[in-house]
Amino acid sequence: EAGVVQSPRYKIIEKKQPVAFWCNPISGHNTLYWYLQNLGQGPELLIRYENEEAVDDSQLPKDRFSAERLKGVDSTLKIQPAELGDSAVYLCASSLDRDRVTDTQYFGPGTRLTVL
Amino acid sequence: GDSVTQMEGPVTLSEEAFLTINCTYTATGYPSLFWYVQYPGEGLQLLLKATKADDKGSNKGFEATYRKETTSFHLEKGSVQVSDSAVYFCALSDPPGNQFYFGTGTSLTVIP
């Protein structure tokens, strides 16, 4: 079974430019997460989707970040415009059913963003 | 609010040494607890988990026991190998299936 797929793996852009990350979750997983991981830190949730609905986006900086999950499958995270402080790894994860006690999140390899 | 506190690294051990990575948590409810591992250049992978008090999660020789009385979930392995070199993250979800909270990670290097 294929895991969570993310692209690109690496992205280098200049500040003030836009950037987009793409995620394809494990087939059948209805919950999708985007995390931000700074160097030497643990992942921090940006947004969580249940199917196509964003159910928790309280940590998403909405002035420059946006996300969508059309048709409840693939998702795209966008930053416009990017700032130097956005340099980090952006992780996507998916899970089968958020209501299950034994739920587990499966992570993609991440996209490493460098803003110059 | 919920949080996870992990033992700071980096940790360097010789092969076959005993490993302990401490993890304590603060939660408003009754969380599920997890250890994730991140090998160099790879994404986070679930190592083990426990969903209720006194449960022991285990995988690949690693173990951790959910201790509600001490709010801890320490990771242990009796004999580490070079291939165990990675960053280990303790995490909780509270309530289970909801938002995850991760610790800052502990880097482990095992030398031959």
Side-chain angles (χ1 to χ4, degrees):
Chain A
E1 177 181 291
V4 175
V5 179
Q6 290 188 248
S7 69
R9 290 294 308 276
Y10 304 91
K11 189 72 176 179
I12 301 174
I13 61 172
E14 294 187 346
K15 63 181 180 182
K16 301 185 180 179
Q17 294 300 306
V19 64
F21 314 124
W22 176 79
C23 173
N24 181 243
I26 292 173
S27 177
H29 282 195
N30 60 346
T31 305
L32 184 146
Y33 310 76
W34 281 103
Y35 287 90
L36 167 69
Q37 185 178 17
N38 287 304
L39 186 64
Q41 300 295 316
E44 299 173 25
L45 181 71
L46 289 172
I47 189 168
R48 182 177 86 238
Y49 282 93
E50 296 291 338
N51 298 304
E52 66 275 8
E53 181 184 359
V55 297
D56 184 356
D57 63 355
S58 57
Q59 302 304 310
L60 189 72
K62 299 181 183 64
D63 56 336
R64 297 184 300 108
F65 286 65
S66 64
E68 60 182 12
R69 192 184 183 196
L70 300 176
K71 302 180 180 179
V73 181
D74 295 3
S75 177
T76 302
L77 178 69
K78 298 179 182 178
I79 308 175
Q80 182 171 9
E83 297 179 352
L84 295 176
D86 296 332
S87 295
V89 176
Y90 292 82
L91 298 169
C92 179
S94 68
S95 62
L96 183 59
D97 184 346
R98 66 179 291 273
D99 293 323
R100 289 175 56 188
V101 172
T102 57
D103 198 16
T104 299
Q105 295 188 22
Y106 298 85
F107 284 81
T111 297
R112 181 177 296 277
L113 173 67
T114 301
V115 182
L116 302 176
Chain B
D2 292 17
S3 66
V4 175
T5 301
Q6 269 185 252
M7 161 181 165
E8 288 191 14
V11 175
T12 302
L13 294 174
S14 297
E15 205 165 22
E16 299 184 1
F18 183 85
L19 169 70
T20 300
I21 301 178
N22 290 337
C23 172
T24 57
Y25 67 89
T26 301
T28 54
Y30 199 149
S32 294
L33 302 175
F34 305 79
W35 277 101
Y36 277 81
V37 59
Q38 188 172 31
Y39 297 104
E42 299 184 15
L44 277 78
Q45 302 173 24
L46 177 67
L47 181 59
L48 53 84
K49 62 184 178 185
T51 59
K52 59 182 186 294
D54 299 327
D55 266 3
K56 177 185 286 188
S58 61
N59 186 25
K60 299 181 181 180
F62 290 88
E63 294 183 339
T65 301
Y66 190 143
R67 300 290 188 196
K68 194 168 186 292
E69 64 277 13
T70 55
T71 62
S72 65
F73 193 55
H74 304 322
L75 182 68
E76 297 181 337
K77 186 174 186 182
S79 176
V80 293
Q81 306 301 312
V82 173
S83 58
D84 294 326
S85 298
V87 181
Y88 292 82
F89 292 91
C90 186
L92 67 82
S93 67
D94 180 25
N98 210 321
Q99 181 176 344
F100 267 49
Y101 296 87
F102 285 86
T104 55
T106 301
S107 175
L108 170 67
T109 300
V110 180
I111 55 177

